[in-house]
Amino acid sequence: MNKATLEAEQNFLKKQERLQMGQAQTKRSKNKNNRNLKFDSMEEYFIRNGGILLEKQIALSQGQHKGAGQLKIFSRNDIEKATNNYDPDLIVGRSAHHTVYKTTIEDRVLAVQAPSKRESNPLLIDLTLTEACTVMVMNHDNMVKLYGCCLETFVPIPVYEFLSNADLFHHLHGDIASSKRIKWADRLRAATDTAYALSYMHNALAKPVVHRGVNSSSVLLDFSCNAKLTNFGYSVSITPGEKPQRWPIEGTPGYIDPEYVETQEVTDKCDVYSFGVLLFELLTRRQPILMARDGTDLVDVFVSAVRKNCVMEIIDSEVLEEENRDGIQRVARLALSCVAKKGAERPTMIDVVGELWNIQGKDNK
């Protein structure tokens, strides 16, 4: 057992002991001051969240004890200090459930993912701990790194490495895109890195892990446009060779596999479909989620253009300037294979990675 693992386990046991002592004192005394109530709440959050995280880690890694010693445990005070009591000036991103703060801890530039609402939310707890557990267990260069986690809060607060160049969505559709559009070569690099991450999730463990949330907002970039996959809250582990388990429909409108919507069965081909939509998005610079809200579908639009032999009319002008017709058609064919109606007809993510390497003229190893 390494030093980091030993310290983490000792810290966990000490907090358990303090919680048990506090519970015993509660039984002997009917009166508690506010400070004790607050203290007990922090301890109880720590034990509950830590137990759920450990349970998820064991289930996901199938008992292989992956990720041990990689997680730094932060106190609530650590997080409040690092974010200057959640200073709005440190906010660098928002989502439906979280606010992201850029901070520096121990000379590392990090991202603190705090809940947007200061209230207990069982669903958000599950999403946050699923995401943290997935990143702990699935250690890959093209997946965002988890530096630590605070378990003393009502909703756990993960602390990730900070990627300085926003997400792929903003490079395609946001303020960044309006001033400087992402080049085609960089789009292909980001797609390849994302495919690597998904391939790893599907093959690294005995049971594939399916992301279920692949979209351009889930791809973070550095200044060299190297990409890292994030947003693992809806990830699930599946058992190959058995009838797929039914799961509630989760994902981003416009990217969700129609076969999954129809059957509620999750397979690794759900991610392949979503990745195919992402390739269409990179080719056309159209927004799948916005189109879905308007009642249209990017896949249908692209397939219709293929049938009418007018694909080049919907390709982004930047792509037309930077890539030849053959290169565009090869990426389009790959995307079309990914969004085949039946999952069994779609390629694996390993196949997708290989084809992306071939398209870029690189040695496929």
Side-chain angles (χ1 to χ4, degrees):
M1 182 180 297
N2 59 39
K3 183 178 179 181
T5 305
L6 181 60
E7 289 178 353
E9 292 188 358
Q10 288 176 341
N11 186 28
F12 188 82
L13 290 172
K14 287 178 181 178
K15 286 184 177 286
Q16 281 184 315
E17 291 173 0
R18 290 204 299 272
L19 176 61
Q20 291 168 356
M21 290 174 62
Q23 290 173 335
Q25 290 172 357
T26 301
K27 293 179 181 178
R28 291 194 299 266
S29 174
K30 294 181 179 180
N31 297 319
K32 282 184 168 185
N33 60 33
N34 290 335
R35 183 178 179 183
N36 283 336
L37 280 170
K38 192 174 183 180
F39 176 81
D40 287 344
S41 179
M42 289 168 57
E43 297 293 302
E44 289 168 5
Y45 287 145
F46 183 94
I47 299 301
R48 179 201 63 189
N49 293 333
I52 297 173
L53 182 63
L54 181 61
E55 181 180 321
K56 286 179 176 293
Q57 182 184 357
I58 292 172
L60 186 62
S61 61
Q62 293 97 55
Q64 296 179 31
H65 200 56
K66 286 178 175 287
Q70 296 179 4
L71 187 68
K72 182 176 179 62
I73 302 299
F74 293 104
S75 69
R76 189 180 68 179
N77 289 337
D78 291 334
I79 298 298
E80 290 175 350
K81 181 180 178 181
T83 60
N84 193 22
N85 289 317
Y86 305 103
D87 184 349
D89 290 339
L90 298 178
I91 295 175
V92 292
R94 298 181 187 273
S95 66
H97 302 293
H98 295 103
T99 302
V100 181
Y101 298 82
K102 179 183 178 181
T103 186
T104 301
I105 302 176
E106 299 175 346
D107 297 325
R108 292 173 179 258
V109 181
L110 300 169
V112 174
Q113 184 178 288
S116 300
K117 296 181 179 179
R118 304 290 190 264
E119 59 187 30
S120 183
N121 183 330
L123 175 60
L124 187 54
I125 292 171
D126 185 72
L127 291 176
T128 302
L129 292 177
T130 296
E131 180 163 347
C133 172
T134 303
V135 179
M136 285 173 64
V137 174
M138 311 293 293
N139 184 21
H140 189 267
D141 288 343
N142 295 119
M143 297 174 68
V144 69
K145 297 292 188 297
L146 179 70
Y147 182 67
C149 190
C150 174
L151 301 173
E152 291 182 351
T153 45
F154 44 88
V155 174
I157 298 178
V159 179
Y160 294 100
E161 64 175 320
F162 180 77
L163 271 75
S164 52
N165 204 14
D167 58 45
L168 186 56
F169 176 89
H170 282 88
H171 281 271
L172 291 169
H173 314 296
D175 294 338
I176 300 174
S178 62
S179 59
K180 184 181 178 181
R181 294 180 184 176
I182 183 171
K183 294 183 180 299
W184 175 242
D186 293 332
R187 299 186 203 188
L188 272 183
R189 182 185 301 116
T192 305
D193 289 346
T194 304
Y196 265 124
L198 291 171
S199 176
Y200 183 82
M201 292 182 68
H202 294 174
N203 295 281
L205 301 175
K207 295 182 179 180
V209 179
V210 182
H211 189 283
R212 288 203 302 170
V214 177
N215 58 58
S216 56
S217 296
S218 297
V219 180
L220 301 179
L221 303 176
D222 64 16
F223 277 114
S224 298
C225 284
N226 298 307
K228 294 198 177 189
L229 188 62
T230 186
N231 295 340
F232 302 95
Y234 291 116
S235 298
V236 295
S237 178
I238 61 174
T239 303
E242 295 184 2
K243 181 176 176 59
Q245 183 177 348
R246 290 179 177 269
W247 294 86
I249 305 302
E250 301 290 357
T252 306
Y255 296 86
I256 304 175
D257 175 12
E259 187 176 55
Y260 167 39
V261 173
E262 180 181 347
T263 65
Q264 291 189 305
E265 295 177 351
V266 174
T267 71
D268 56 348
K269 298 304 180 70
C270 296
D271 284 346
V272 176
Y273 183 93
S274 299
F275 183 81
V277 178
L278 179 63
L279 287 179
F280 287 144
E281 184 178 3
L282 294 174
L283 283 166
T284 65
R285 212 164 60 83
R286 297 191 182 190
Q287 298 186 43
I289 186 171
L290 190 61
M291 296 176 68
R293 289 172 182 169
D294 293 337
T296 57
D297 183 85
L298 179 54
V299 173
D300 291 342
V301 169
F302 204 97
V303 170
S304 176
V306 171
R307 290 172 178 166
K308 296 176 182 178
N309 198 27
C310 60
V311 170
M312 295 301 161
E313 296 179 12
I314 64 171
I315 300 298
D316 180 23
S317 59
E318 297 284 325
V319 178
L320 291 173
E321 291 176 6
E322 298 171 11
E323 180 60 279
N324 59 47
R325 188 182 186 92
D326 179 65
I328 293 172
Q329 290 178 333
R330 291 182 69 181
V331 175
R333 284 196 295 269
L334 175 60
L336 288 167
S337 69
C338 289
V339 298
K341 289 186 177 181
K342 295 183 179 180
E345 298 173 353
R346 300 168 196 162
T348 66
M349 286 311 304
I350 291 179
D351 296 331
V352 171
V353 170
E355 181 57 22
L356 284 171
W357 271 77
N358 290 333
I359 289 171
Q360 295 169 83
K362 296 180 179 180
D363 182 21
N364 181 17
K365 297 181 180 179

